[in-house]
């Protein structure tokens, strides 16, 4: 992991950009750190530059609770090389949605499964590098979408001990089987009128998740309309489980 | 409203029992009150004596936030005269559930609609009396079940400015129309595996509620398994809207 830039935000949060091989990422750590901080891996739909304002806002909230927060670019997003197959699947998904048609499972599979297969090992490599830093101790949480990435990480990565999953993207049917294998405490966010999501599928996925402790917080509004208080409740969930 | 007994709980909360005509009730006020307190009307399934431990626990949580809390017995419950029709409907409901049969709408209508018609005016009379006390100022929230009572109160009682609704009881189809008329901020609690509830119906009711701000918090477990942190989140909802 190579740090490529560093700045202090006005609230004292330390922001560092890094590259992990070809993968760009951000690390935010609290302004004043006494002990090594717990870490929240912040998932997102891809496109670090476009997502930066929302990511840094989430990182500030996390830092205020004493958490470090980090994220990496997704395969095929931002400055990373595109996948022709994924681009085609995205076009097919958008066309089906804008035509008001049901989204075929095979489109979702083409879009999401290769992304999960490539992204999850990258997040795990990032976790290796981040946990080697003296200012980061763990425990580790995952927060956000892509929810299929979060589910796969929750199943395969034993260092992740709690997760806030954002049910804001289509989920391949096969992921429901993995969802049943999740056992860590979960806090699931759903935007009730999310235009790019299937509410019924999101509720079925919540039902399928195997964790004994899981909570669903559904709020009104579209994909990007998660209210401020919902972010604060998600932080309190991490405060209960990562401290 | 006649006060019939008074005691101080160990945390300083002042507990008073009262009667409103034939209707028994409880009022809890914070140990130290500077200004007239906001009021939370605490709904319940009926049976004040049986419900007392859970009611007083909720009242203590509310008092810790500076809220007064009050509740009254439901028609046909506790020491109040039984309704033969309601008792028969309850028997029919239990029989259908224990037989694993779908609960017929007409059973739910027979059980719930007369209860709502009688209870709601009683809650409004209690509110008149409670708001006449110098130590209670408002604003006023309603918290709990019976959810059909909460929905009706939210529609017809303009002094209630926010509500925490517990989706833990069957809802007559006709109440869905009233649900669309609700406009106050809502925080809806659902126990995902509630044995005495229909999850699909609860989600449909949440969808039908007309309020622009409404949040659904679903947790694992049965009817009585609402986690402590869910109660704290409900209090924070009231803190946002009743202060």
């Amino acid at each position: 992991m190579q740090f490529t830039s560093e700045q202090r935000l006005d609230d004292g949060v330390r922001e560092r950009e890094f590259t992990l091989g070809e993968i760009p990422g951000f690390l935010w750590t609290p302004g004043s750190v006494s002990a090594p901080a717990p870490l929240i891996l912040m998932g997102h739909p891809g496109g670090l530059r476009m997502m930066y304002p929302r990511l840094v806002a989430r990182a500030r909230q996390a830092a205020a609770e004493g958490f470090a927060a980090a994220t990496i670019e997704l395969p095929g997003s931002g400055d990373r090389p595109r996948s022709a197959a994924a681009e085609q699947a995205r076009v097919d998904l958008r066309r089906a949605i804008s035509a008001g048609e049901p989204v075929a499972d095979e489109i979702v599979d083409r879009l999401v499964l290769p992304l999960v297969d490539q992204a999850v090992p990258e997040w795990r490599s990032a976790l290796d590098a981040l946990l080697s830093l003296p200012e980061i101790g763990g425990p580790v949480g995952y927060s956000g979408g892509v929810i299929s990435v979060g589910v796969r990480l929750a199943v395969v990565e034993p260092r992740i001990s709690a997760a806030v999953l954002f049910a804001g993207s289509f989920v391949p049917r096969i992921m429901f089987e993995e969802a049943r294998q999740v056992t860590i405490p979960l806090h699931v966010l759903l935007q009730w009128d999310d235009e790019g999501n299937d509410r019924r599928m999101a509720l079925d996925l919540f039902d399928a998740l195997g964790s004994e402790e899981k909570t669903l917080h559904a709020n009104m509004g579209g994909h990007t309309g998660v209210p401020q208080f919902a972010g604060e409740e998600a932080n309190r969930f991490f405060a209960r489980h990562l401290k």
Side-chain angles (χ1 to χ4, degrees), chain A residues 63-81:
Chain A
E65 293 282 333
F67 298 125
T71 190
I72 55 174
E73 186 59 276
L74 286 178
S77 292
D79 304 331
R80 300 188 61 186

Side-chain angles (χ1 to χ4, degrees), chain A residues 62-240:
Chain A
E65 293 282 333
F67 298 125
T71 190
I72 55 174
E73 186 59 276
L74 286 178
S77 292
D79 304 331
R80 300 188 61 186
R82 293 284 178 277
S83 145
E87 292 300 302
Q88 184 58 53
R90 203 179 310 275
V91 167
D92 296 342
L93 177 72
R94 294 218 181 95
R95 194 200 52 72
I97 292 175
S98 56
E101 298 168 5
V103 176
D105 288 351
E106 65 86 19
I107 297 177
V108 177
D109 291 351
R110 278 191 284 127
L111 180 64
V112 179
L113 292 181
L115 177 68
V116 172
D117 290 340
Q118 187 178 347
V120 166
E122 294 176 350
W123 281 100
R124 300 187 73 184
S125 304
L127 188 53
D128 295 337
L130 291 161
L131 288 177
S132 72
L133 300 172
E135 62 268 41
I136 297 178
V140 180
Y142 178 87
S143 173
V146 175
I147 192 168
S148 297
V149 171
V151 167
R152 172 75 57 86
L153 274 168
V155 172
V156 303
E157 179 46 72
R159 292 173 294 183
I160 294 178
S161 51
V164 171
L165 299 178
F166 182 50
S169 52
F170 286 86
V171 178
R173 294 282 163 200
I174 194 174
M175 290 303 301
F176 279 67
E177 282 313 308
E178 291 186 46
R180 293 186 178 83
Q181 301 166 37
V182 178
T183 58
I184 59 172
L186 298 176
H187 180 102
V188 179
L189 288 172
L190 171 66
Q191 285 299 98
W192 200 249
D193 304 309
D194 193 333
E195 55 286 350
N197 189 18
D198 178 329
R199 185 194 304 159
R200 181 80 234 133
M201 171 182 276
L203 292 169
D204 290 345
L205 181 67
F206 176 74
D207 191 46
L209 289 159
S211 302
E212 254 180 49
E213 180 183 338
K214 56 179 178 179
T215 300
L216 175 71
H217 283 200
N219 288 287
M220 291 305 97
H223 189 82
T224 60
V226 178
Q228 168 81 9
F229 62 80
E232 293 163 0
E233 287 159 349
N235 265 341
R236 279 187 285 264
F237 165 81
F238 278 131
R240 287 201 304 276

